[in-house]
């Protein structure tokens, strides 16, 4: 989101954007994520989107699970049986 040029009191706001879309209806939810990409940011964004939607879809897909993978410690990252 650096290209957006968002600033507060002249200071650049370092942020990302969580974006949720229902594929068939194109219903969307977006919210800023302060700090880095993390599983917590993904979980909170998803929870807020589903609350706004008023329900849950039968299936959920994420286009990237790198947020969860990047936050694993070295032992978990190297474990071939670790859930991703």
């Amino acid at each position: 989101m650096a290209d957006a040029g968002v600033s507060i009191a002249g200071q650049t706001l370092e942020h990302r954007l969580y974006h949720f879309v229902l594929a068939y209806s194109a219903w969307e939810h977006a919210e800023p994520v302060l700090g880095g990409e993390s599983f917590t940011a993904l979980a909170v964004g998803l929870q807020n989107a589903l609350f706004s939607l008023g329900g849950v879809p039968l299936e959920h897909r994420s286009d990237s699970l790198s947020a969860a993978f990047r936050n694993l410690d070295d032992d978990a990252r190297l474990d071939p049986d670790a859930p991703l």
Side-chain angles (χ1 to χ4, degrees):
M1 293 298 304
D3 293 343
V6 176
S7 64
I8 297 175
Q11 299 294 316
T12 301
L13 177 64
E14 298 294 331
H15 68 290
R16 297 181 184 276
L17 192 65
Y18 175 84
H19 185 216
F20 177 93
V21 180
L22 291 178
Y24 294 104
S25 69
W27 183 90
E28 296 179 89
H29 172 85
E31 63 182 71
V33 174
L34 303 177
E37 187 177 344
S38 68
F39 179 78
T40 301
L42 173 66
V44 169
L46 177 60
Q47 179 178 336
N48 291 341
L50 296 176
F51 182 79
S52 295
L53 180 61
V56 297
L58 291 176
E59 182 177 318
H60 173 260
R61 293 184 187 178
S62 177
D63 65 351
S64 174
L65 292 180
S66 65
F69 182 76
R70 286 184 196 154
N71 291 304
L72 294 175
D73 62 22
D74 288 338
D75 289 336
R77 193 176 307 119
L78 297 173
D79 182 357
D81 297 320
L84 295 176

